[in-house]
Amino acid sequence: MAVIEYIDAIRLAMKEEMERDEDVFVLGEDVGLKGGVFTTTKGLMEQFGEMRALDTPLAESAIAGVAIGAAMYGMKPIAEMQYSDFMFPATNQIISEAAKIRYRSNNDWSCPLVIRAPIGGGIFGGLYHSQCPESVFFGTPGLKIVAPYRAYDAKGLLKAAVRDPDPVLFFEHKKCYKLVTGEVPDTDYIVPIGEANVLREGDDITVISYSLPLHFIEQAAAELEGEGISTHILDLRTIQPLDKEAVLEAVRKTGKVLIVHEDNKTGGVGAEVSAIISEELLFELDAPIMRLCGPDVPAMPINPPGEKFFMLNKDKVKEAMRNLALY
Amino acid sequence: MIEIVVPQLAESLVSATIDKWLKQPGDWVDIYEPICEILTDKVNAELPSTVSGTLMKILVGNGETVPVGTPIAIMEVEGEAADTGTVASGGTANTTSATAHVGAALSTSAGTAISDADAPMRGRFSPAVQQLATEHNLRLSEVPGTGLGGRITRKDVLAFVASGAAGKSSGASQATQVSSASMDPKAQVRSSGIHLSESPRLPKIEVEGSNAPSRGETFIDVTPIRSTIARNMRQSVSEIPHAWTMIEVDVTNLVLLRNKLKDEFMKREGVNLTYLAFLLKAVVNAIKDFPIMNSVWAVDKIIVKRDINISLAVGTEDSVMTPVIKNADHKNVAGLAKEIEELARKTREGKLTLSDMHGGTFTVNNTGSFGSILSYPIINYPQAAILTFESIVKRPVVINDMIAVRSMANLCLSLDHRILDGVICGRFLQRVKENLESFTTDSKLY
């Protein structure tokens, strides 16, 4: 098994799916000739031609709208939003059209669409290249949302998303592209949507997260082990639908839970996870449910100290984990 | 002093390589003057200094790749004293004290209960704790609390239950003070093994706190060497898919040869002429014919090592070391015998140096020395295979349809199945067998 970068795993998934199924195609800004601004779609136009690696105008509502139409006609589009920040002009298409087509047509029509969007900060992108839009789409029935952290999951979940009969939002963290590497089989496999994954077994505290923060959590857990704190880490992988059973099982292990995400705290995924735990597991809790999230400020600052303040990092995560362990 | 760090040169970049230093320690550098050239996936650039001053020290050399944010050089700013350095170290000190605090908190998990006065959280029980207390019929006042403000945590309850104190607490709570020192400190931990020339040193035994009388258990501190062995073994079995095979060798002629030469050899060289020396010679010659045995798995390639450096597993009373015979293919049987004696002596005396331990490419374990006739060795990570030399025993053997009494020995081989398969290992073992069986009473040692 080769060790490859997260971004390569995403590219490999698209390549393999396009080879497997002629109906799969990618569309988005600069995905063809340039191969994507992050090089995510590099080589796809050369291999599959410009009709299957389609450069679009700078109009996200059109990208989503075209993709929805194609999907309803039986194609399997992978629409790329260059940055998830630019996704909001397409919100109406995604929430009011894609998510509702199967329901509204009484199961006559479906919309097998994937929308890929790079989320998150940490790359000095400032206000409009750093947002985490999960909470905007989270809680919209009819949408599935995945946010992989490991390279293995990035490939497996993207392939599962392409084969899913309903719309899937694929949130890839742009800071993970080259930061996260891992063993990825070059064979055909999928990671099922809706299944969380235990990254580390432990019995002092449980940390639940998804996407980039898991990188810091894993580092912090390794360091805290030296202090005698044993950490149980759950990677949600899919944030809608949430893997409720896995969440409850992970919390039962320790009775102390910390939920971490980069999206801001109020109304985030962590609020829902916390609510599920308190609904089901009151009598097994040994500490208040804790959350560590991005601050409730409008956007990522453009200046480096501001970004550093905004972003999670190993030290912030480690301190929160230690506080929970000491409780 | 100011640290110059690797800047974020482009979005999504996480590391950079120092190509060339343009300034050397002691050089004066103006602000914005390039101090080195760096390479990344996206751009190659000159790195300008962020201050004017003297370059004091280069931390990252030419050609090294480091993550963004790593300090690469230290600059002394013009007219500045060295006192700014303390700002950074203050943070570190904080962390250390917090660390110590956690360590202390957790290590007292079986320790004494904290009195209520300085434990404001002592009487506040979480739902989990109350549920467990009901389940195990505990009186929580007897459970020591290690959480914040003396709070009893879920783990405290679980530890209390596991320690066996729970059963007693429902009855006479005073009974928890019983004979924690009742175990026999002279009890031996290991008594088997015919190679043990002396009784093992007494392990350092730690008795659990008075709240947890332990019966029938003793605790042995894990020594650093034990811990290293554990880590290496675990890494090997979890990363390497092991396969195993065995062959038997007729060493009758070798036994005759050694008996003929050993006294003379002892007189002349002052060291024992062991069977192991002959085996090593046979193994080294077989590796020369099958160099793939001398290799390492590197995911996208297999690295075949040119030098044949044999790691020799040498057991002591409480550990096993694998000192290395370097360039074993350059030595004859006599040279190998001397080297074996030397490494075994150094191991027993604890005088192995780091250079004695490094560079092994294939491991041989003389398991016969402690009476084994069959063993399943764990590969010495990251090598490709390990071979054991089992006891030589006299057995009836059929040769040309006649029964003869011959000296027989088993050779066992564990192999990394990512690199090696049955056929190549079978051939390799056959070659070792041929080499061993081809010794005759006329064979020369030198």
Side-chain angles (χ1 to χ4, degrees), chain A residues 1 83 204 253 286 326, chain B residues 11 126 148 151 154-155:
Chain A
M1 240 186 312
Y83 287 79
D204 280 316
K253 290 265 308 197
D286 192 34
L326 285 175
Chain B
E11 53 191 34
S126 74
L148 194 70
R151 193 181 75 89
R154 176 178 163 279
K155 272 197 115 181

Side-chain angles (χ1 to χ4, degrees), chain A residues 1-3 5 37-39 83 122-125 129 174-175 177-179 183 203-204 226-230 251-256 281-287 318 322 325-327, chain B residues 7-14 41-42 68 95 98-106 121 125-132 146-149 151-156 158 297 299-300:
Chain A
M1 240 186 312
V3 172
E5 287 172 347
V37 287
F38 295 103
T39 71
Y83 287 79
I123 60 154
F124 298 129
H129 297 79
K174 59 182 90 76
K175 178 84 174 175
Y177 278 154
K178 293 192 168 291
L179 181 69
E183 289 198 344
D203 57 11
D204 280 316
E227 300 179 15
I229 296 171
S230 143
V251 175
R252 268 194 205 104
K253 290 265 308 197
T254 67
K256 289 178 168 184
L281 285 184
L282 173 65
F283 293 109
E284 302 196 32
L285 286 177
D286 192 34
K318 190 171 159 189
R322 191 192 285 120
L326 285 175
Y327 185 85
Chain B
Q8 181 98 39
L9 287 159
E11 53 191 34
S12 83
L13 273 185
V14 293
D41 292 354
K42 282 196 168 181
V68 167
T95 321
T99 309
H101 180 52
V102 180
L106 293 176
M121 293 285 280
F125 305 129
S126 74
V129 165
Q130 292 188 39
Q131 173 149 311
L132 282 170
T146 63
L148 194 70
R151 193 181 75 89
I152 298 168
T153 67
R154 176 178 163 279
K155 272 197 115 181
D156 292 337
L158 291 174
W297 179 255
V299 185
D300 57 339

Side-chain angles (χ1 to χ4, degrees), chain A residues 1-3 183, chain B residues 239 295-305 381-384 416 418-419:
Chain A
M1 240 186 312
V3 172
E183 289 198 344
Chain B
E239 277 185 34
S295 61
V296 170
W297 179 255
V299 185
D300 57 339
K301 53 184 152 317
I302 293 169
I303 302 167
V304 179
K305 305 277 188 176
Y381 186 90
Q383 298 171 10
D416 183 339
R418 297 172 301 184
I419 303 175

